[in-house]
Every structure is written in C-alpha cells, then in structure tokens.
Amino acid sequence: MAAGRYRRFLRLCEEWPVEETKRQRDLGTALRQRVAQAFREGENTPIADPEACDQMYESLVRIHTNFYKNKYPRLKDTTFTGVTVEDCRMILATDILKQMEDMKKGTWRRLREKFSAKKPEEDLK
C-alpha cells in the first residue's frame, strides 16, 4: 500500500506548479523536497502512520484544487487595503523583496559592502 501512496504524492508533485518568482520560497518546491525526504526508499518506504499520511495527502489536494476558495467564494478579489492578487504576487516576488532589502540599508553600509573584501557579517562580530 505504500507504493500507492508514493505514486499519489508523486502525481500531486507533478501537478503542483512552481512559481519562478518565489525562488527558494515556493510551496511546490517545499512539497517536492518533503516528499523526497519522506519517501527516501521510493515505493518500498515503510509508513509509520498510514492514516496521518492519507490525511496529509487529502489536505494538500484540497489546497491544490482550491477547495475552500471554491466553497466560500469572495465578493471581491482584493484585500481590505484594496491591493489585488496580482499586486501581492508582484510584491512577494523574490527580486522585489531583495530590492526592498537593499533599499533598507544605509548609504554607508552599501558602500562598505561594495568596496569591502570581507563579508559585512564579519564586521559586526
């Protein structure tokens, strides 16, 4: 029965999209890593708690198929601030977050990082 569970998780991983804008912070990537970790031996992996495994799979399927989004439709696709889904995606993109982090740094620190041979973390020690 572990083989069937393994195949179901693999199928879910194949269907789950990867967001290129969220490098190293994507739910699809994290899911693939967890499945690979949980099923190290592939179809021959012994499952300690089959009920918990099935429950986790069903929960992930509900997330993937937007079960609750469809069950409880929203009147508007904006937040209380008026920000749309596309605006949120753009703001949460890795490149934008990196730019914002760079903007938070002071001028002196940016210059020091640019011209310094050692890492800034070493200066703080």
Side-chain angles (χ1 to χ4, degrees):
M1 193 63 190
R5 287 184 178 91
Y6 176 66
R7 284 190 217 110
R8 288 188 330 178
F9 272 102
L10 281 182
R11 197 173 323 115
L12 181 64
C13 287
E14 288 173 1
E15 293 174 5
W16 204 290
V18 175
E19 286 192 51
E20 293 298 325
T21 60
K22 295 182 182 178
R23 284 176 244 116
Q24 305 301 323
R25 301 178 304 115
D26 179 41
L27 184 59
T29 303
L31 174 65
R32 286 170 181 78
Q33 290 171 351
R34 291 288 305 263
V35 168
Q37 191 178 40
F39 291 97
R40 285 190 187 112
E41 299 173 25
E43 294 181 351
N44 299 326
T45 304
I47 298 175
D49 191 359
E51 291 178 12
C53 182
D54 292 341
Q55 191 175 32
M56 186 174 295
Y57 174 78
E58 294 301 325
S59 297
L60 288 169
V61 166
R62 283 194 298 271
I63 292 170
H64 176 62
T65 59
N66 292 321
F67 177 80
Y68 291 106
K69 179 183 178 186
N70 297 332
K71 185 175 180 178
Y72 304 105
R74 298 178 60 162
L75 299 176
K76 297 180 181 179
D77 286 334
T78 61
T79 62
F80 71 96
T81 60
V83 178
T84 64
V85 174
E86 287 304 315
D87 292 339
C88 287
R89 279 197 183 110
M90 185 183 75
I91 291 168
L92 293 174
T94 302
D95 297 335
I96 301 295
L97 290 175
K98 186 170 177 11
Q99 288 176 2
M100 290 174 60
E101 190 65 35
D102 289 343
M103 287 173 42
K104 287 181 184 177
K105 295 178 182 176
T107 306
W108 179 250
R109 186 172 179 188
R110 271 187 270 151
L111 286 172
R112 189 174 66 201
E113 287 177 2
K114 185 174 183 177
F115 295 110
S116 177
K118 56 185 176 177
K119 295 179 182 175
E121 293 85 28
E122 294 173 4
D123 290 342
L124 298 175
K125 292 180 182 176

